[in-house]
Amino acid sequence: MTKLEFIELNHELLESMGSYCLRSKKNSKGYRQKNKWLQNRFDEGLKYVQIFKNNKQVGFIEYTAAEYSSRVVFANGYLVIHCLWVSEMG
């Protein structure tokens, strides 16, 4: 039986689990900067949800209210997806 889990990261979980992308290199300067940026954005309402299938990460989504987006978007009242990654189809 397939077990799916959706884990929303917060300050504490980011420290223990880290952010993840196919190209993540945990000791790189960019990875550390991304985690610091995420920590600062959580208080603004940014959501970072990791998706696990049978205890293996298979994706994540990072999104926030348009008013707090790091993208140049004029869409008050809407959500903006910053990043979406999925490793499996189906």
Side-chain angles (χ1 to χ4, degrees), residues 37-51:
W37 181 86
L38 286 169
Q39 289 284 11
N40 293 329
R41 303 289 79 80
F42 286 145
D43 292 334
E44 296 172 350
L46 179 120
K47 303 294 182 193
Y48 191 101
V49 180
Q50 292 183 348
I51 305 158

Side-chain angles (χ1 to χ4, degrees), residues 38-68:
L38 286 169
Q39 289 284 11
N40 293 329
R41 303 289 79 80
F42 286 145
D43 292 334
E44 296 172 350
L46 179 120
K47 303 294 182 193
Y48 191 101
V49 180
Q50 292 183 348
I51 305 158
F52 291 83
K53 178 179 176 183
N54 297 327
N55 298 318
K56 176 186 173 206
Q57 188 170 359
V58 295
F60 74 86
I61 185 168
E62 174 190 315
Y63 64 96
T64 193
E67 295 87 340
Y68 295 104

Side-chain angles (χ1 to χ4, degrees), residues 15-31:
E15 286 295 321
S16 63
M17 296 176 71
S19 60
Y20 184 76
C21 181
L22 185 61
R23 295 182 176 94
S24 293
K25 295 178 182 160
K26 291 192 175 205
N27 294 320
S28 71
K29 181 179 177 181
Y31 178 84

